[in-house]
Amino acid sequence: MIIVMQRGASERQIHAVEEEIKRLGFIAHPIHGVERTVIGAIGDERGNAGLLALETWEGVERVIPILKPYKLAGRELHTEKSKIKVRGRVVFGGKKVPVIAGPCSVESLEQICTTAEAVKAAGATLLRGGAFKPRTSPYSFQGLEVEGLKMLAEARKRTGLPVVTEVMKESAVEVVAQYADVLQIGTRNMQNFDLLKAVGQARKPVLLKRGLASTVYEWLMSAEYIMSQGNMEVLLCERGIRTFETATRNTLDLSAVAVLQHETHLPVIVDPSHGTGHYEYVESMALAAIAAGADGLMIEVHPNPHEAWSDGAQSLTPDRFTRLMTRARAVAHAVGREV
Ligand code: PEP
Ligand code: MN
């Protein structure tokens, strides 16, 4: 239920309503807007009758049922777009479209630092790099693990770029959160509900990739798992879905960007690297993503893609990435955004 307070409702009236929501066994999520306060009551819907009675309380204008099952991620309760800050500097969900760039995997201190310097010079504002890698084959490189996290932290120290890196299991959330600025949940773990609950308890923004065979509804319900644990800082990342098409590694679903901008207040990021699987297609899909209204990009960049330990075929050289950024600025400008 959404409890809409009257314009000018007093602090005391708002507080009394919040207390009643809690007494009825719900969690109160107040949102203080410029004009008025609305309070979301989240919990077991069998207690709805008690909430409806709040309409008679002082300072309450209306009590409205939330219709969408993604109560916290949806726009019904939270109509304004969310702004999510990373390290207090980079903001997702505003006019700017931050770009996250870096290699698929952290391979060495030199590799991650060289890449970090190059992507920063081109205008990226966050660094990516996997230290724990979810690989299709158990015989493929699995990541440098904690050593990789330390290299990412060193690259951050040298460049100032905040770090985005994947966490694959609940037991690693604490150590990854110790080094990372944004916790990435990979496509294969989008419905690992225990992991989602664990990052929901972490105090770091979460970049939630779309499951490779998941609908937008399922994806938003996964965001809901994180948010229902108290972590409202979720970034949704479209990275392509599995279809019959084999010309590209996945099919980048850019229509999901438009759907999500309508359905959720959470920022939407697009990863055209995993979305296409081929470096030749990354730039055009990155530009299309910005035109479609994406709030951020994630791009794989490697100093020497031919020698990359993972995802070399879809990685851009620093030169190609620089060109992408130049063109991205022009597209962003055309649609009233900035890169
Ligand atoms: C990655 O970002 O390198 C990655 C493994 O992504 P995804 O989970 O989208 O495949
Ligand atoms: Mn990758």
Side-chain angles (χ1 to χ4, degrees), residues 2-311:
I2 304 172
I3 293 84
V4 182
M5 301 301 295
Q6 286 168 356
R7 210 174 288 196
S10 69
E11 287 287 331
R12 188 184 51 77
Q13 289 168 337
I14 295 169
H15 181 72
V17 169
E18 286 181 49
E19 289 303 309
E20 177 66 1
I21 291 171
K22 288 182 208 156
R23 195 189 66 77
L24 291 166
F26 290 81
I27 299 169
H29 283 277
I31 296 167
H32 304 284
V34 186
E35 299 249 314
R36 60 174 93 231
T37 295
V38 298
I39 308 170
I42 312 287
D44 186 341
E45 287 165 7
R46 283 171 293 186
N48 278 358
L51 291 174
L52 284 169
L54 278 169
E55 204 157 80
T56 62
W57 284 43
E58 267 180 49
V60 174
E61 183 154 308
R62 259 183 324 146
V63 178
I64 314 167
I66 300 177
L67 302 172
K68 297 279 165 85
Y70 31 88
K71 300 170 197 293
L72 298 172
R75 282 242 192 205
E76 286 179 305
L77 175 57
H78 202 296
T79 51
E80 277 167 46
K81 183 104 195 152
S82 275
K83 287 193 171 57
I84 295 180
K85 275 192 192 167
V86 180
R87 281 209 154 227
R89 286 201 292 276
V90 186
V91 181
F92 288 92
K95 186 173 182 188
K96 269 229 166 219
V97 181
V99 178
I100 308 165
C104 180
S105 303
V106 179
E107 299 168 5
S108 67
L109 183 61
E110 199 202 330
Q111 174 247 18
I112 194 65
C113 290
T114 307
T115 316
E117 299 283 2
V119 300
K120 183 181 176 184
T125 46
L126 297 101
L127 175 67
R128 63 147 289 144
F132 293 93
K133 295 303 303 176
R135 305 304 301 280
T136 300
S137 165
Y139 310 119
S140 300
F141 172 59
Q142 304 283 307
L144 295 181
E145 305 189 339
V146 177
E147 282 313 302
L149 295 176
K150 290 183 181 161
M151 292 173 191
L152 283 165
E154 178 60 25
R156 173 178 55 215
K157 199 167 141 202
R158 293 190 196 177
T159 59
L161 296 180
V163 161
V164 182
T165 195
E166 180 161 353
V167 56
M168 285 170 47
K169 56 182 182 196
E170 265 176 274
S171 58
V173 171
E174 199 179 320
V175 68
V176 176
Q178 209 178 307
Y179 294 97
D181 299 299
V182 176
L183 305 171
Q184 176 173 324
I185 299 294
T187 192
R188 296 157 183 85
N189 273 318
M190 190 205 82
Q191 286 192 317
N192 180 340
F193 300 118
D194 287 337
L195 179 60
L196 298 178
K197 286 186 201 162
V199 295
Q201 282 164 18
R203 299 276 78 89
K204 290 274 163 89
V206 176
L207 184 146
L208 177 65
K209 285 197 155 194
R210 180 180 186 174
L212 70 168
S214 296
T215 62
V216 168
Y217 166 78
E218 289 160 343
W219 189 10
L220 287 172
M221 291 315 286
S222 289
E224 200 73 16
Y225 262 93
I226 298 169
M227 299 172 87
S228 63
Q229 296 296 311
N231 188 349
M232 301 296 155
E233 300 191 310
V234 179
L235 304 161
L236 298 165
C237 179
E238 163 63 37
R239 50 76 71 202
I241 48 176
R242 184 66 65 87
T243 67
F244 56 82
E245 183 54 74
T246 54
T248 46
R249 179 179 178 185
N250 292 291
T251 297
L252 188 68
D253 181 12
L254 285 182
S255 59
V257 177
V259 173
L260 289 170
Q261 293 295 6
H262 184 258
E263 289 295 307
T264 177
H265 54 89
L266 298 172
V268 183
I269 293 171
V270 172
D271 168 358
S273 306
H274 294 86
T276 64
H278 299 273
Y279 79 88
E280 295 95 323
Y281 311 139
V282 170
E283 181 183 301
S284 51
M285 289 300 98
L287 302 182
I290 294 174
D295 300 302
L297 293 175
M298 174 179 262
I299 313 278
E300 285 188 339
V301 178
H302 193 284
N304 189 356
H306 296 296
E307 287 175 9
W309 295 2
S310 60
D311 287 350

